[in-house]
Amino acid sequence: SSCPIVAAVYEEDTIDIGIINDQNKGILISSSLIPMKASKTSSGSSIFTLKKEQKIVEVVTNAEGLKKLQSCRKRKIPTTGSSI
């Protein structure tokens, strides 16, 4: 199955990132929770636990988009989404 890239975010300082799936569930996390991968063979980190056939449809970093996700703040990853 193909996995299209929904977003790529560059950050110099810690920022909040909101992720929304096609079931209108989302998470809001701090970028500091995402471990940096340093080796050539590392494959990435699981952040949002999805059920089969679910897809990520939006990633937000702007203040307006993050406002609607405040109730979805998570402190650990991987995590499941909360209803928006």
Side-chain angles (χ1 to χ4, degrees):
S1 76
S2 67
C3 299
I5 294 174
V6 176
V9 178
Y10 175 79
E11 49 105 17
E12 291 182 7
D13 297 317
T14 300
I15 61 171
D16 284 339
I17 301 171
I19 305 171
I20 302 168
N21 72 12
D22 59 353
Q23 301 298 307
N24 208 32
K25 293 191 177 207
I27 62 171
L28 175 61
I29 61 167
S30 170
S31 62
S32 65
L33 292 175
I34 304 169
M36 192 161 122
K37 297 290 185 175
S39 72
K40 292 189 289 184
T41 59
S42 58
S43 63
S45 301
S46 292
I47 297 170
F48 197 157
T49 305
L50 299 171
K51 292 182 181 174
K52 199 170 193 166
E53 304 300 319
Q54 288 183 344
K55 297 177 182 171
I56 300 297
V57 294
E58 185 178 4
V59 175
V60 294
T61 57
N62 60 35
E64 185 177 317
L66 295 173
K67 187 182 275 189
K68 68 181 178 182
L69 291 169
Q70 287 302 316
S71 64
C72 303
R73 168 121 3 230
K74 305 296 181 176
R75 306 259 180 245
K76 295 180 182 178
I77 59 170
T79 186
T80 57
S82 300
S83 294
I84 298 174

